[in-house]
Amino acid sequence: MAKHILSVLVENHAGVLSRVSGLFSRRGFNIESLAVGITENPEISRMTIVVEGDEYTVEQVSKQLNKLINVIRVKKLENFDSVKRELALIKVNATAATRSEIVQIVEIFRANIIDVSKDTLTIEVSGDEDKVGALENMIKPFGIKEIVRTGIIALERGTKHIKADNNKDNKENDMEDDFNDKDVL
Amino acid sequence: MKITGAEAIIKILELENTTHIFGYPGATICPFYDALLDSKIKHILTRHEQGAAHSASGYARATGKVGVCVATSGPGATNLITGIATAYMDSIPVVALTGQVPTHLIGRDVFQEADITGATAPFCKHNYLVKDIEELPKILKEAFHIASTGRPGPVLVDIPIDIQLKELKFEVPTNPDIKGYKPSYKGHPLQIKKIIELLEKSQKPAICAGGGIISGNAGSLLRKLVDRCNIPVVTTLMGIGSVPTDHKLCFGMLGSHGSYMANYVINNADLLIIAGARVGDRAMASAGEAYKRAKIVHIDIDPAEIGKNIGVNIPVVGHISSILTDLLQVSARGNTDGWISELMMRRQEHENKLNISSNIGVPDKIYTSHKRGTPHKTDTPHKIDKLDEINKSCPVTPAYLLRVLSDTLKNLDNLDSPDILNSSSILDSSSMLNSPDMLGSLNTLNSSDIIDGSTNNIYKINTQGSDINTQRSNIVESHDIVESGDFIITTEVGQNQIWAANNLTIRNPRQFISSGGMGTMGYGLPAAIGAKIGCPNKKVINISGDGSFQMSLQELGTIKQESLGVKIIILNNSRLGMVKELQKANYSCRYSQVNLDSNPDFLKLAAAYGIKGERITKNDEVKEALKRMLSDDEPYLIECIINPDESTL
């Protein structure tokens, strides 16, 4: 199943998150991860949602999201055109014997150790999906006690940006352009 | 000037031109009901909150205004949910106001508390929980705006009792400007141009008209397009009335329970224009096939509907009125004469074979869509005898009754005329032109003339050239056609709904009100109440089954309290008819829980509410009973005993 990243600007109101997740559950869409936080404008939050599905699913997800009153803009981020990052904290078993090996691996990945105890080390790593996954795989043999990931956040490359302009064209016009490219006479 | 929250709500309702609301009081909505006493808004007390929601929905569909319903917190609000969901599926503008426990007690499971905003989130366009008194006027204004613009839909506003009691300095809110809600109205000009090019080239076009035509008030525009370009039209259940069902280019309702000709048109067209319809699964079970066969144009105000159920070649997002106006710039029509004459011939053949107008729901075996493995066993198509030879002494035949009803409604001014209801006028699809009082002046009319139901002009079609000559015929001045068509039909759900959809002559939008998307039993009676409140001068008739009637029969109390002249026809087969048909088709006649032999005496029930009525058991009693029912403006109930084996397919 292909994965797609949607960047969604929403109004910063109570209950918006529940509306969005409710939409996904009742329409049967599969969310792999969802990260949300305030933007430069405190009234607006940005959600980065990773959806699993085919083209039709993603198109329906975007359109249904747009129908929500609290959603301002929805933009599908293409792989080649965006930067992605994820943060993970990994708590791994580390005795005196294995500690230095783990520290070496952590240094190679340019990750950080943020907690140490007699039996464990907690590692903080950020990067794209592949890097985080690779570190996790390297650390697995030592025994991972706990891992927490934030989910992917992403922005478009270059000067393009998604803004919630009041006076500009409405959000349907993004899709109108898609229509014009797609239709066949 | 300081007023309370409750008074502010009333003020906003008045500013939005609300004249009638439907509701049921309770503890947490008391401040609102107190403020209501000092207002000119008329409140109709229903007997169940679900009735209030359905009545608001029926009112909205009949008048085009936003319907308003009010309930208290907890069970009152949850009782609204079915009504709200029904309005959501059919895109009806409704605003629901509910009381709520005080803000500092929310979430503590106090008496009659329910998270109604969470519960209705899947079923409304948007909902609000008012937490700040200063926001209340703005929220209400936004609620009406959201409900009535774009694709209409229900909006719920939950108002805690302490907010209703707080005071605020009221200022008229400015026009709403919601960042995340800006529906587009104007269709993209490039897309419109592409459609016009296709129309001019197409040999076998067809239009599928849905509820969007009616919500968008585009009935006469659609008719102009149909006449100018000579395009056959079929309608969905929600679209009935968008073009007159007896228009020569209207081929009836499509779908699994629709008419033979409508499905034939859709299956054989090379260009399918879907206007204001969402391609529900009942309308087009195999939408994928349609996409392979024909070019699909989909016109809708909701972009999410486009591409959802059917692939599209030319999508257009925008308001249907604006788009149809742009399309009417088409200068010449394509060569559809061959297609039209083929369809006319086929329709005539089908009518002759079955001795009835083939706009009714008697689909041929081939076109009965049936998804399960075994082929659907229709023996011979259910034959209805030639109507003047109909077996008068058998139990009432629903199709016959409904067609007699249509005819009676056409001639409401001449109920005592002996020429009414002669059999040829029922059989003829343009029977209105043949009714006795028109015959004298009909020298200049022929069957290709169109009577515009909304303006009552008669347009003469010059079939020679490519232009349409429109001249106002002097017939309009001497015959008052308007009054005889002024009625509203509501239906319940099930067999009665399908018989009504396929057998009634509906010539105007907002004349046929039925729960399409959600198929809610118990919708018809409260919706009829709402329609009658909204259109007191029209005859309002509810077509019902015995099962559906019992789902909201308590609303008879509302009819009594408001002295509403709502007419009720119960097609009583003592069964849950549609479920029984499904069990016959898919479960080898293993009937489970479809028997309603313990029905009450409906006439006694009606009499208990002071409503008069009668029972008919044979076809030859139909005419007189309908005349009696329609002779005045009092509530009336006709119970028709029909054969339990009557089926829609």
Side-chain angles (χ1 to χ4, degrees):
Chain A
M1 274 284 205
K3 285 195 212 160
H4 308 265
I5 304 182
L6 296 172
S7 186
V8 186
L9 286 181
V10 302
E11 285 178 344
N12 188 12
H13 285 163
V16 175
L17 182 57
S18 118
R19 279 188 215 273
V20 171
S21 54
L23 169 72
F24 277 77
S25 74
R26 75 175 162 272
R27 299 255 169 195
F29 301 136
N30 238 335
I31 307 187
E32 188 172 281
S33 74
L34 194 156
V36 57
I38 301 187
T39 60
E40 65 278 3
N41 179 344
E43 287 178 16
I44 298 179
S45 298
R46 185 189 302 265
M47 280 189 184
T48 311
I49 308 177
V50 178
V51 184
E52 250 183 75
D54 55 9
E55 270 301 315
Y56 167 81
T57 306
V58 171
E59 193 185 320
Q60 269 299 301
V61 166
S62 311
K63 287 181 181 173
Q64 294 293 340
L65 274 172
N66 261 320
K67 271 174 90 165
L68 291 177
I69 306 283
N70 293 126
V71 167
I72 303 171
R73 287 293 280 266
V74 177
K75 185 90 171 79
K76 179 162 164 241
L77 295 180
E78 303 295 340
N79 275 333
F80 56 87
D81 214 17
S82 55
V83 286
K84 302 186 275 286
R85 288 291 179 269
E86 183 179 27
L87 176 72
L89 300 179
I90 310 175
K91 188 182 283 191
V92 60
N93 289 327
T95 60
T98 55
R99 198 172 293 138
S100 50
E101 209 183 319
I102 297 176
V103 170
Q104 259 185 347
I105 297 173
V106 165
E107 267 169 20
I108 294 170
F109 277 87
R110 284 182 303 233
N112 298 320
I113 307 233
I114 54 174
D115 188 47
V116 59
S117 76
K118 199 154 59 87
D119 308 302
T120 63
L121 272 176
T122 303
I123 306 166
E124 168 199 339
V125 57
S126 71
D128 63 17
E129 254 188 316
D130 297 333
K131 176 180 169 187
V132 173
L135 176 60
E136 192 191 333
N137 280 333
M138 289 298 299
I139 295 294
K140 244 197 216 139
F142 300 94
I144 296 181
K145 279 192 114 95
E146 270 186 304
I147 181 166
V148 57
R149 305 168 87 129
T150 59
I152 294 177
I153 55 174
L155 284 179
E156 278 182 296
R157 284 183 187 277
T159 55
K160 286 187 286 190
H161 60 268
I162 312 165
K163 263 210 120 157
D165 269 347
N166 252 352
N167 49 357
K168 275 184 81 170
D169 298 331
N170 52 49
K171 52 193 177 184
E172 272 83 25
N173 276 354
D174 288 341
M175 288 179 292
E176 286 263 318
D177 298 331
D178 292 342
F179 285 151
N180 289 332
D181 298 333
K182 270 198 290 221
D183 62 36
V184 169
L185 249 189
Chain B
M1 179 196 38
K2 278 206 164 226
I3 56 172
T4 63
E7 289 164 350
I9 302 173
I10 302 278
K11 260 198 152 57
I12 300 285
L13 288 179
E14 288 172 349
L15 283 170
E16 294 288 330
N17 291 322
T18 308
T19 49
H20 295 85
I21 59 180
F22 303 86
Y24 205 87
T28 54
I29 194 75
C30 265
F32 172 82
Y33 273 89
D34 185 67
L36 196 56
L37 285 174
D38 301 320
S39 161
K40 283 203 269 311
I41 296 179
K42 169 110 174 67
H43 179 279
I44 289 94
L45 178 67
T46 59
R47 297 300 182 266
H48 190 286
E49 287 91 353
Q50 190 174 322
H54 289 323
S55 292
S57 165
Y59 178 88
R61 290 179 70 163
T63 59
K65 295 167 70 176
V66 174
V68 179
C69 55
V70 186
T72 186
S73 61
T78 54
N79 275 340
L80 287 177
I81 291 181
T82 306
I84 294 176
T86 308
Y88 182 69
M89 284 291 266
D90 288 338
S91 308
I92 309 298
V94 166
V95 166
L97 302 173
T98 52
Q100 181 58 279
V101 302
T103 41
H104 60 278
L105 291 178
I106 290 178
R108 308 251 292 250
D109 298 323
V110 296
F111 180 65
Q112 291 195 331
E113 180 194 348
D115 176 16
I116 192 67
T117 42
T120 52
F123 302 117
C124 32
K125 217 170 150 186
H126 195 53
N127 58 22
Y128 296 90
L129 170 59
V130 182
K131 289 205 217 133
D132 179 3
I133 183 69
E134 301 297 330
E135 298 272 299
L136 180 57
K138 170 169 163 273
I139 286 179
L140 282 170
K141 190 114 176 93
E142 277 184 14
F144 274 86
H145 174 75
I146 295 173
S148 56
T149 54
R151 177 179 184 180
V155 176
L156 182 133
V157 184
D158 199 19
I159 311 154
I161 185 171
D162 55 334
I163 303 280
Q164 292 172 45
L165 290 167
K166 266 201 199 141
E167 294 200 332
L168 83 156
K169 190 159 163 292
F170 182 80
E171 272 164 21
V172 176
T174 53
N175 278 331
D177 180 24
I178 308 171
K179 275 210 260 295
Y181 180 68
K182 298 201 187 301
S184 30
Y185 292 107
K186 192 100 178 79
H188 200 288
L190 191 62
Q191 305 292 81
I192 308 259
K193 192 156 148 286
K194 285 183 190 161
I195 302 178
I196 295 180
E197 283 167 17
L198 269 187
L199 268 177
E200 288 170 0
K201 281 192 295 204
S202 164
Q203 309 258 331
K204 301 211 262 178
I207 296 181
C208 173
I213 300 279
I214 298 182
S215 292
N217 295 313
S220 48
L221 283 170
L222 178 64
R223 234 170 308 162
K224 279 204 189 100
L225 185 69
V226 164
D227 296 334
R228 183 174 302 182
C229 303
N230 231 21
I231 311 179
V233 175
V234 302
T235 66
T236 63
L237 180 78
M238 292 296 294
I240 291 178
S242 46
V243 284
T245 49
D246 54 1
H247 188 299
K248 71 173 170 106
L249 288 174
C250 176
F251 288 89
M253 179 174 87
L254 83 162
S256 50
H257 285 90
S259 77
Y260 167 80
M261 279 312 299
N263 288 320
Y264 181 84
V265 168
I266 295 291
N267 289 337
N268 291 284
D270 64 6
L271 168 66
L272 188 51
I273 301 177
I274 303 173
R278 63 184 176 96
V279 195
D281 61 309
R282 297 286 134 160
M284 268 201 237
S286 46
E289 300 294 310
Y291 181 60
K292 287 184 204 153
R293 269 193 308 263
K295 292 265 181 295
I296 310 279
V297 172
H298 197 161
I299 305 172
D300 205 293
I301 197 164
D302 180 0
E305 291 300 329
I306 298 182
K308 186 179 92 182
N309 286 332
I310 188 171
V312 178
N313 297 106
I314 304 182
V316 191
V317 176
H319 195 284
I320 191 74
S321 289
S322 151
I323 293 173
L324 287 180
T325 310
D326 290 339
L327 283 177
L328 278 166
Q329 290 157 32
V330 62
S331 53
R333 61 186 193 203
N335 186 5
T336 59
D337 293 336
W339 170 230
I340 300 289
S341 42
E342 179 203 336
L343 291 174
M344 297 294 185
M345 214 173 55
R346 194 166 258 270
R347 177 160 65 183
Q348 197 56 52
E349 270 171 25
H350 194 77
E351 279 180 32
N352 294 340
K353 199 163 63 167
L354 296 174
N355 295 326
I356 33 100
S357 159
S358 66
N359 272 4
I360 77 156
V362 184
D364 190 278
K365 269 189 261 196
I366 311 164
Y367 291 89
T368 304
S369 75
H370 190 69
K371 282 192 234 181
R372 297 233 168 196
T374 50
H376 186 68
K377 283 210 282 279
T378 38
D379 322 279
T380 42
H382 184 81
K383 265 178 103 138
I384 298 178
D385 302 312
K386 220 180 177 96
L387 282 164
D388 57 350
E389 295 163 6
I390 197 166
N391 187 347
K392 291 290 166 62
S393 57
C394 72
V396 177
T397 310
Y400 173 69
L401 177 141
L402 290 163
R403 253 117 39 73
V404 172
L405 176 64
S406 283
D407 225 68
T408 317
L409 287 166
K410 263 190 221 149
N411 297 292
L412 278 176
D413 298 328
N414 304 328
L415 274 181
D416 296 316
S417 155
D419 295 321
I420 185 183
L421 305 175
N422 60 67
S423 57
S424 61
S425 72
I426 299 175
L427 281 176
D428 198 331
S429 56
S430 56
S431 58
M432 185 160 170
L433 296 172
N434 290 333
S435 65
D437 46 352
M438 296 274 286
L439 278 170
S441 349
L442 282 182
N443 302 326
T444 47
L445 275 182
N446 55 56
S447 61
S448 64
D449 292 331
I450 310 298
I451 299 178
D452 184 330
S454 58
T455 62
N456 293 299
N457 296 333
I458 297 183
Y459 294 94
K460 302 197 140 311
I461 310 288
N462 180 351
T463 50
Q464 247 83 53
S466 54
D467 297 328
I468 298 175
N469 295 329
T470 60
Q471 324 161 301
R472 202 187 164 112
S473 162
N474 56 11
I475 291 178
V476 176
E477 272 111 40
S478 52
H479 294 271
D480 195 10
I481 308 172
V482 177
E483 290 314 307
S484 61
D486 250 346
F487 61 90
I488 296 179
I489 304 278
T490 65
T491 76
E492 293 286 356
V493 167
Q495 293 182 314
N496 57 81
Q497 180 183 38
I498 301 300
W499 285 320
N502 284 324
N503 289 296
L504 289 171
T505 305
I506 306 287
R507 310 194 77 247
N508 296 299
R510 302 190 187 281
Q511 243 184 342
F512 184 82
I513 296 178
S514 187
S515 171
M518 197 53 100
T520 311
M521 287 172 69
Y523 178 75
L525 185 57
I529 290 173
K532 187 68 178 172
I533 296 281
C535 305
N537 295 327
K538 296 194 184 180
K539 297 267 185 229
V540 176
I541 303 137
N542 180 37
I543 314 287
S544 176
D546 48 303
S548 293
F549 182 73
Q550 291 181 75
M551 287 238 180
S552 45
L553 63 83
Q554 74 274 353
E555 301 304 325
L556 291 175
T558 314
I559 291 180
K560 179 176 183 201
Q561 183 169 9
E562 302 291 328
S563 305
L564 294 175
V566 170
K567 316 286 181 190
I568 305 166
I569 298 178
I570 303 182
L571 300 171
N572 187 358
N573 54 7
S574 302
R575 301 284 182 274
L576 291 178
M578 188 54 87
V579 181
K580 180 171 170 224
E581 273 190 47
L582 291 170
Q583 289 173 347
K584 183 171 168 194
N586 297 343
Y587 296 91
S588 322
C589 296
R590 279 159 60 89
Y591 298 128
S592 174
Q593 303 301 322
V594 288
N595 207 311
L596 287 175
D597 279 328
S598 59
N599 274 339
D601 184 331
F602 292 114
L603 295 184
K604 286 206 181 122
L605 200 55
Y609 283 98
I611 296 173
K612 49 189 207 275
E614 61 182 280
R615 176 178 295 128
I616 56 176
T617 54
K618 300 199 194 333
N619 277 322
D620 58 4
E621 300 169 35
V622 166
K623 277 187 217 173
E624 294 304 313
L626 290 175
K627 271 199 230 172
R628 274 190 292 271
M629 176 179 88
L630 293 169
S631 59
D632 61 17
D633 204 36
E634 302 272 300
Y636 202 86
L637 185 143
I638 301 184
E639 182 192 340
C640 316
I641 307 298
I642 66 176
N643 190 329
D645 291 324
E646 284 277 358
S647 66
T648 58
L649 288 176

